[in-house]
Amino acid sequence: GFALNTDIFLLTQRLSIIIFGLSSLVSCDAEQPTSTAKPPSHHRAAAPHLVETSLVKRHTTETQQHFTGTVKAQHRVRIFNQEEGRIELLSVDIGDKVSQDQVLFKTNPQLLKAEMAKAKANYNKASADLKRIAEMHKQKLASDLEKIQADTAMGVAIAEKNILKLRIKNTTIKAPFNGIVLERLVEQGNVIPKFTHALTLIDPQKLWLRLPVSEMLLPYIKPGGQPTIETLNSRQAISGVVVKTLPQIDQTTKQGL
């Protein structure tokens, strides 16, 4: 009988421990809060912003850029004398407007005129000799060789006279076109040799304007455009035409083509 009572006591003790453990767990669970409510927020809702909208349209924009360049005459001629001698007339100065065939300067032609007188005398002699030889040749009194020599002498006399006539004409220098005197490199009274650069003329109606332009803007400048040009001496606007752009730039890559 004692052994049975001991087993009952041990079983009762184990059940008590298990029950006490379960009660402890239930008590711990009861202490945890069961509410799922969110804590109050401290941030206010953002106020709405007003936005203005408009329709997107494609159109061409225009920009104005100012550049400084150098004007160069498209038609520029240097005037040289063709005969040496003293300048006896110089009728123009730098900046003067001249018209076509206007006399610019003259060199003294007296020496050439003396040579012309000599050439005329030779011409008269050759003419007389040719006439005499021709009559004699008809009468068989002059040989064919003499007739050929007389013809040759006459031709040489005519050529010499024509050459001197042209050289005397070249002592007077005239303007080849309507223009402006850009340079004057001689003075009246100077003695100048042949082919001396005396004057420079330009045609103001045909001018080039060269401009340095950034490669970022060069693709947008096309031949045929009409820029407005102003000079330093005058505020009057001049209309121009874009003739050429160098080098050609790709609009996307900004690289030369």
Side-chain angles (χ1 to χ4, degrees):
F2 180 75
L4 176 61
N5 292 335
T6 302
D7 293 335
I8 294 172
F9 174 78
L10 292 173
L11 179 60
T12 305
Q13 189 176 9
R14 289 176 181 175
L15 290 174
S16 298
I17 292 173
I18 293 172
I19 293 171
F20 178 76
L22 291 174
S23 299
S24 299
L25 291 175
V26 172
S27 298
C28 291
D29 291 339
E31 292 178 0
Q32 296 296 329
T34 59
S35 175
T36 59
K38 295 182 180 179
S41 177
H42 297 287
H43 298 283
R44 296 181 180 180
H49 294 282
L50 298 179
V51 178
E52 183 180 357
T53 62
S54 61
L55 295 177
V56 177
K57 298 180 180 179
R58 183 187 296 271
H59 62 89
T60 303
T61 59
E62 294 183 358
T63 59
Q64 290 186 353
Q65 298 290 335
H66 296 272
F67 303 99
T68 301
T70 303
V71 177
K72 184 178 180 181
Q74 180 181 359
H75 194 187
R76 176 190 178 109
V77 175
R78 297 192 298 173
I79 307 298
F80 293 80
N81 66 310
Q82 298 185 39
E83 293 295 332
E84 61 185 5
R86 182 176 61 85
I87 299 177
E88 65 176 15
L89 174 65
L90 180 60
S91 59
V92 295
D93 201 351
I94 296 176
D96 289 350
K97 293 182 179 180
V98 297
S99 56
Q100 186 174 1
D101 293 330
Q102 176 182 335
V103 175
L104 302 177
F105 67 94
K106 293 176 65 175
T107 54
N108 193 317
Q110 295 303 319
L111 181 60
L112 293 176
K113 288 182 177 180
E115 292 183 8
M116 173 61 83
K118 179 180 177 181
K120 286 181 177 180
N122 290 334
Y123 170 81
N124 293 334
K125 180 178 181 300
S127 178
D129 289 344
L130 177 60
K131 185 178 180 180
R132 178 175 56 81
I133 296 297
E135 290 294 332
M136 294 175 63
H137 185 265
K138 289 180 181 179
Q139 299 175 8
K140 305 297 183 179
L141 299 176
S143 64
D144 292 340
L145 179 59
E146 291 176 324
K147 176 67 168 56
I148 293 173
Q149 291 176 344
D151 288 336
T152 302
M154 184 62 182
V156 171
I158 293 174
E160 289 180 349
K161 191 175 69 169
N162 290 337
I163 289 173
L164 286 170
K165 183 178 180 181
L166 180 60
R167 291 183 63 185
I168 292 173
K169 180 181 179 181
N170 288 340
T171 60
T172 300
I173 306 300
K174 298 181 179 181
F177 54 83
N178 298 332
I180 295 177
V181 179
L182 183 65
E183 293 179 308
R184 193 184 80 171
L185 305 175
V186 295
E187 299 293 337
Q188 185 167 328
N190 289 356
V191 177
I192 56 177
K194 282 185 177 182
F195 310 122
T196 298
H197 180 197
L199 302 170
T200 301
L201 299 184
I202 62 171
D203 184 356
Q205 302 300 321
K206 298 179 181 179
L207 301 176
W208 290 97
L209 179 60
R210 294 190 174 184
L211 303 173
V213 180
S214 169
E215 67 274 9
M216 303 299 292
L217 297 176
L218 192 58
Y220 301 98
I221 302 176
K222 304 295 183 182
Q226 297 182 348
T228 301
I229 303 169
E230 293 182 357
T231 63
L232 296 177
N233 298 329
S234 175
R235 294 184 179 180
Q236 182 179 0
I238 304 172
S239 179
V241 177
V242 177
V243 177
K244 184 184 297 184
T245 58
L246 292 174
Q248 296 182 359
I249 302 295
D250 184 84
Q251 186 171 350
T252 303
T253 63
K254 303 299 185 294
Q255 299 295 323
L257 299 178

